Amino acid sequence: MIDITTNYAGLALRNPIVVGSSGLTSAPEKIKEYEKVGAGAVVLKSLFEEQIEMQSASLLKESDFPEATDYIYEYLKSNQVNQYLELIKKAKAICTIPVIASVNCYRVDAWIDFAHQIELAGADAIELNVYYMDTGLTPGDETDHKVYVNIIRKVKETVSIPVIMKIGKSINNIPALVYLLKTNGADGVVLFNRLYQPDINIHTMQIVSGNVFSSHSDLSDTLRWTAIVSGKIPDIGIASSTGVHDWEDVVKCLLAGASAVQMVSAIYTHGPEIISQILVCMEEWMNQTKYYSLSQFQGALNYAHIKSPNMYERAQFMKYFSSRD
Ligand SMILES: Cc1cc2nc3c(=O)[nH]c(=O)nc-3n(C[C@H](O)[C@H](O)[C@H](O)COP(=O)(O)O)c2cc1C
């Protein structure tokens, strides 16, 4: 009997496949469907503070009463937050797999407020979708790390469910940030969020959206940082995310040290059934390689467990090209 259970950030999952935050997880019936095809957990679409702000700004433009600003903002906020809390409650009522809520805020008090309500609504954990891009001209300071640490600290003071931080890969010194997050209470990290990809239309001379979905080639960075972070900080739950498209990708992430993987683009492209197909293939591979539980191979090829950990470092890239004609 093969055991594919895993512990991710304090959550007991029946298997490591998590449906990532997106429109895929915006309705309770869809979430139930993922449970049926075998998902280990789901992350709900994010509750965006910015979206509430934008909607209230557009309503205000149409309003003849500028004094209604606070009223409109508060009304919209409570309406959207209530809808989100309802989604958590309904998903929890019909599913047995863990339901992880997700928020994206920019004011610290909003993170605290939303996190508190999300815990009360019954979410099993909270994923903080933090997006902070420092484009200032002062090099090398750790300002961005402080922003992340401040948020995790405040949210951990507020809730007792596991708190997971989802970060983008453009951040400076990823292991140092994860270590800081861990020492300030983070139960897990998602490596990585895939941010909006800007592109330029040279005919209309406009900035447009690039590929919304990831591709296989995006997995390389995910593997590299999963392996380095899990090798250096073994006691934090890591969900590898971005570029996980098939069963081999899942096995690779586990070998690199992930506790779980998150999938979005592949499910949009192939439908929910890809989850059950991946589970069958992964178990077949485990059978053939005589692994009877995930723990037998999780992290076996991470930074701490391979003879040449620099294989995961950038210098290797240069060596590769310099050895080619
Ligand atoms: C259509 C779409 C909507 C998304 N919405 C969210 C969201 O609300 N919150 C979030 O944290 N990530 C969101 N993401 C990012 C995904 O959760 C995930 O991090 C990213 O797509 C990389 O994973 P993948 O390679 O499996 O697609 C979205 C992605 C897509 C494609």
Side-chain angles (χ1 to χ4, degrees), residues 43 75 89 104 106 116 133 160 249 252 264 268 284 287:
V43 187
Y75 172 77
K89 286 180 194 162
N104 173 284
Y106 55 89
H116 180 59
M133 189 181 279
S160 54
D249 296 344
K252 289 176 191 176
V264 171
Y268 268 113
E284 245 171 60
N287 239 329

Side-chain angles (χ1 to χ4, degrees), residues 20-23 45-46 48 102 127 129 166 192-194 212-214 241-245 262-265 268:
S21 180
S22 59
K45 66 162 189 167
S46 296
F48 286 100
S102 164
E127 189 177 285
N129 167 14
K166 182 179 194 182
F192 296 104
N193 201 351
R194 185 167 179 272
V212 174
F213 297 136
S214 69
S241 162
T242 296
V244 180
H245 281 249
Q262 292 194 0
M263 296 181 67
V264 171
S265 296
Y268 268 113

Side-chain angles (χ1 to χ4, degrees), residues 18-312:
V18 177
V19 181
S21 180
S22 59
L24 292 170
T25 54
S26 60
E29 317 77 59
K30 294 189 194 174
I31 296 165
K32 187 68 191 170
E33 180 70 17
Y34 302 124
E35 175 168 284
K36 281 195 193 143
V37 293
V42 293
V43 187
L44 302 181
K45 66 162 189 167
S46 296
L47 175 62
F48 286 100
E49 186 191 12
E50 193 182 13
Q51 203 175 342
I52 300 172
E53 295 267 345
M54 275 161 54
Q55 283 187 2
S56 85
S58 103
L59 272 183
L60 270 170
K61 261 197 216 154
E62 295 161 15
S63 161
D64 295 331
F65 303 102
E67 62 274 24
T69 309
D70 286 349
Y71 174 75
I72 289 180
Y73 175 72
E74 284 307 322
Y75 172 77
L76 264 178
K77 182 176 148 193
S78 78
N79 202 310
Q80 290 220 2
V81 172
N82 283 342
Q83 276 180 20
Y84 198 76
L85 300 178
E86 273 308 299
L87 173 62
I88 297 172
K89 286 180 194 162
K90 285 187 182 152
K92 283 300 297 173
I94 58 171
C95 298
T96 54
I97 55 173
V99 172
I100 304 170
S102 164
V103 284
N104 173 284
C105 305
Y106 55 89
R107 289 177 303 121
V108 171
D109 57 339
W111 290 102
I112 297 166
D113 181 21
F114 290 174
H116 180 59
Q117 297 193 61
I118 280 168
E119 178 171 44
L120 290 179
D124 294 284
I126 181 164
E127 189 177 285
L128 307 174
N129 167 14
V130 186
Y131 171 64
Y132 178 78
M133 189 181 279
D134 187 358
T135 53
L137 293 181
T138 325
D141 72 14
E142 299 293 305
T143 321
D144 45 358
H145 288 194
K146 284 190 194 132
V147 173
Y148 287 79
V149 168
N150 196 24
I151 294 166
I152 199 89
R153 232 189 240 155
K154 300 277 187 207
V155 174
K156 280 299 285 188
E157 280 167 13
T158 312
V159 298
S160 54
I161 51 177
V163 180
I164 297 155
M165 195 168 268
K166 182 179 194 182
I167 61 177
K169 63 182 168 192
S170 60
I171 193 136
N172 192 24
N173 198 337
I174 291 162
L177 172 63
V178 176
Y179 184 67
L180 269 175
L181 293 174
K182 166 80 193 143
T183 50
N184 281 280
D187 299 280
V189 284
V190 180
L191 306 177
F192 296 104
N193 201 351
R194 185 167 179 272
L195 303 177
Y196 168 81
Q197 309 281 305
D199 198 358
I200 292 178
N201 182 324
I202 58 168
H203 305 292
T204 62
M205 304 297 269
Q206 282 174 322
I207 311 298
V208 293
S209 171
N211 281 340
V212 174
F213 297 136
S214 69
S215 67
H216 254 300
S217 59
D218 291 308
L219 186 70
S220 190
D221 274 338
T222 304
L223 283 179
R224 177 208 309 273
W225 291 110
T226 298
I228 294 176
V229 171
S230 85
K232 293 189 176 207
I233 312 159
D235 48 356
I236 189 154
I238 300 174
S240 295
S241 162
T242 296
V244 180
H245 281 249
D246 59 26
W247 73 269
E248 289 174 318
D249 296 344
V250 177
V251 170
K252 289 176 191 176
C253 292
L254 295 169
L255 284 165
S259 322
V261 300
Q262 292 194 0
M263 296 181 67
V264 171
S265 296
I267 301 176
Y268 268 113
T269 311
H270 302 289
E273 299 71 29
I274 192 175
I275 298 174
S276 43
Q277 290 158 11
I278 285 177
L279 290 170
V280 169
C281 294
M282 187 180 80
E283 286 197 32
E284 245 171 60
W285 175 84
M286 286 175 70
N287 239 329
Q288 278 166 17
T289 39
K290 303 204 182 325
Y291 287 129
Y292 300 109
S293 72
L294 293 194
S295 57
Q296 286 180 291
F297 68 95
Q298 264 169 328
L301 294 181
N302 77 7
Y303 190 83
H305 292 135
I306 57 171
K307 277 198 188 120
S308 312
N310 63 351
M311 291 289 285
Y312 284 117

